[in-house]
Amino acid sequence: MAEHGVLVWLPGPHEPDVVAALGQEDGLVVTRRCADLAELLAAAAAGAGQIAVLALERGVDRTRIVPLARGGVLTVLVVGPEDLHRAGALGADVVVPDGTDVAASVAREVRSLVERTGLAPESSPWAWRPGADWDVDPGGERGGASGHDHDSGQGSDSDRGGDGATRGAAAPRRAPHRPGRVLAVWSGAGAPGRTTIAAGLAAELVRLGQRTALVDADTVAPAMAQVLGVLEETAGLAALCRAAADGTLDPDTLRRRVRTMPDGVAFVSGLTRADRWREIAPEALEVVLGALRSRTDWTVVDVAAGPEAAPVRGADRHAATRSVLSVADVLLAVVPVDPVGVRRAVQALTDLPELDAPGELRIVVNATRPGPARSADAVADALVRFVGRAPSWSVPYDDAVGAALLAGGTLAQHAPRAPARRALAGIARALVAAGTTQADGEPAPVGRRRAPWGRRRVSSASLRD
């Protein structure tokens, strides 16, 4: 009879009983009794098992469990009572509370998991990807992040077995409103003005009545805090990613780490030092973006340029950029007008299909200048010729951009009549018009001028459920 391989790592007294109980189940065989987490991860990567049974010990968090799921390994997490409140947000398929009948519970849940997923024993565990259609929105399948309502970190009664085991494959809970959209502001290598455009668009979206969050997810040259004139001693995004990886990201944590700017933008600050890029784990970043998406209309994310090719082994500095691009609804590529910048942009856009970025691609040409040979037209011709895409918008060169940077704020605050600011306002109106529909499918009216006191503003408190 064909068998399913099970990897076991359970420090403590339950491990022999669990192994014995699994061995008594038809079609299951314990292929490795791992001495530590590193051995379990290595065995899973080598294809030694299709199911991993592990304890919630030091080092086990979402950044360890989600890669197992993406590699096709089902996970059963044994959790002590003190950690049950956060276990449901770690991404395991099943959570089994630690107790007197752990061995029987684990064996029963592993058998149920195999039957429920239809895991074929004769296939390679890496050929089957149960997380291929996983929605990264909080509360989604496979124990997805508790972004909507995860103070308890546990599923509903209908998601539990009779023994209290929590199944990660429960149906997702719905947000109280239509999930917002993620806008990734990206470019080829260099500094074409991504951060300035991201900050300006976030401010314009708020002026259009959109609840908007602005996230600095640049792991190479984070600078959003400086552009906005904000003094940040801690990295808000890194703190949120740590909470998401640990399964403790809740509305209160989100509120504490989000700074409400004077114009109403909910700002999540980036790294204070670029060499701390390992703190922005992609598995955790997706959870943070899902939590913001569930509470806002738009989440504008400034990411690093490129990215470079992923390393064969070891940590990937551009993994956060790839993660954002993979979940973004709209990808705004910023292209400068200088020849070097255009060449880099063409190369980046040519490589874009390899980055798993399914969102709608829009191109904006930045810092255009008038003249006999109009730079915007020249860049547009190059993009059409080499990429097959024409730019959607252009932003003119404007001395007010530098003045706003020195003043520590957006163009809307310091130069509301500047040509560049008017161009950004037009882009924001177009984005809202494209992403907002009424019940009958007609485009919703946007761009209506409001008195300052009539503007809907995002506050940290509004990020609560």
Side-chain angles (χ1 to χ4, degrees):
M1 178 180 179
E3 295 176 322
H4 299 85
V6 183
L7 308 171
V8 178
W9 175 57
L10 289 175
H14 298 303
E15 195 256 8
D17 295 335
V18 170
V19 171
L22 290 171
Q24 295 174 1
E25 293 284 339
D26 291 338
L28 297 179
V29 59
V30 177
T31 56
R32 186 71 63 87
R33 297 171 69 172
C34 302
D36 52 30
L37 178 60
E39 183 179 354
L40 182 140
L41 295 174
Q50 297 168 289
I51 306 159
V53 178
L54 66 161
L56 183 53
E57 298 284 341
R58 181 178 180 181
V60 177
D61 57 19
R62 189 176 182 87
T63 65
R64 301 294 189 181
I65 294 175
V66 171
L68 286 173
R70 288 178 175 170
V73 177
L74 303 173
T75 52
V76 176
L77 189 63
V78 179
V79 180
E82 69 279 4
D83 291 317
L84 278 174
H85 68 285
R86 65 186 181 94
L90 296 181
D93 293 277
V94 176
V95 174
V96 177
D98 194 352
T100 57
D101 198 22
V102 172
S105 297
V106 169
R108 182 168 54 251
E109 290 301 328
V110 170
R111 165 58 57 197
S112 175
L113 186 60
V114 170
E115 295 173 352
R116 193 166 70 247
T117 58
L119 181 62
E122 65 275 7
S123 65
S124 167
W126 297 102
W128 183 68
R129 299 179 61 84
D133 297 326
W134 177 43
D135 186 353
V136 300
D137 283 349
E141 296 182 359
R142 297 188 56 76
S146 38
H148 296 323
D149 229 350
H150 66 285
D151 295 81
S152 64
Q154 302 177 29
S156 63
D157 293 340
S158 62
D159 301 335
R160 303 174 188 275
D163 57 354
T166 301
R167 296 190 175 94
R173 288 173 289 177
R174 299 298 181 185
H177 65 89
R178 181 173 62 87
R181 311 190 81 195
V182 174
L183 169 65
V185 183
W186 172 77
S187 74
R194 291 186 314 276
T195 303
T196 300
I197 288 180
L201 285 178
E204 297 301 333
L205 288 169
V206 170
R207 292 174 67 88
L208 293 174
Q210 303 288 295
R211 291 176 293 182
T212 305
L214 176 62
V215 182
D216 186 356
D218 192 335
T219 54
V220 176
M224 187 65 73
Q226 288 73 32
V227 168
L228 297 179
V230 173
L231 179 60
E232 286 288 285
E233 297 181 355
T234 60
L237 182 59
L240 292 177
C241 285
R242 286 193 295 271
D246 201 38
T248 58
L249 179 62
D250 56 25
D252 287 339
T253 302
L254 194 64
R255 175 183 54 82
R256 289 195 302 269
R257 296 298 181 180
V258 173
R259 173 191 287 262
T260 303
M261 302 303 294
D263 55 7
V265 173
F267 175 49
V268 180
S269 59
L271 297 173
T272 55
R273 292 171 53 97
D275 57 3
R276 294 173 55 190
W277 55 269
R278 290 177 179 83
E279 299 180 30
I280 311 298
E283 299 84 4
L285 179 58
E286 291 179 3
V287 176
V288 174
L289 294 180
L292 292 171
R293 182 200 292 266
S294 70
R295 290 164 172 80
T296 61
D297 299 308
W298 288 89
T299 300
V300 181
V301 189
D302 180 25
V303 298
E308 300 174 355
V312 176
R313 63 179 62 183
D316 179 7
R317 184 168 192 162
H318 292 270
T321 298
R322 293 186 177 88
S323 179
V324 174
L325 297 183
S326 70
V327 302
D329 301 285
V330 181
L331 173 58
L332 186 65
V334 181
V335 179
V337 296
D338 62 278
V340 174
V342 172
R343 180 185 180 279
R344 291 173 173 174
V346 167
Q347 183 63 54
L349 290 170
T350 302
D351 295 340
L352 184 61
E354 302 177 5
L355 300 180
D356 185 24
E360 179 187 5
L361 173 64
R362 307 299 292 269
I363 300 175
V364 56
V365 180
N366 190 31
T368 61
R369 297 173 181 266
R374 295 181 57 195
S375 56
D377 292 340
V379 174
D381 291 342
L383 293 174
V384 171
R385 178 180 178 183
F386 296 107
V387 183
R389 295 292 300 263
S392 302
W393 305 288
S394 64
V395 176
Y397 174 85
D398 197 331
D399 290 332
V401 173
L405 178 62
L406 291 175
T410 63
L411 283 171
Q413 294 173 303
H414 295 280
R417 297 184 179 181
R421 186 260 154 175
R422 291 198 296 268
L424 290 173
I427 296 174
R429 286 194 297 269
L431 289 171
V432 174
T436 305
T437 57
Q438 296 176 336
D440 58 0
E442 295 294 329
V446 297
R448 185 178 302 169
R449 295 179 63 88
R450 301 183 182 185
W453 53 86
R455 238 175 255 147
R456 182 170 57 165
R457 295 178 56 164
V458 176
S459 65
S460 298
S462 70
L463 294 175
R464 290 180 179 270
D465 283 331

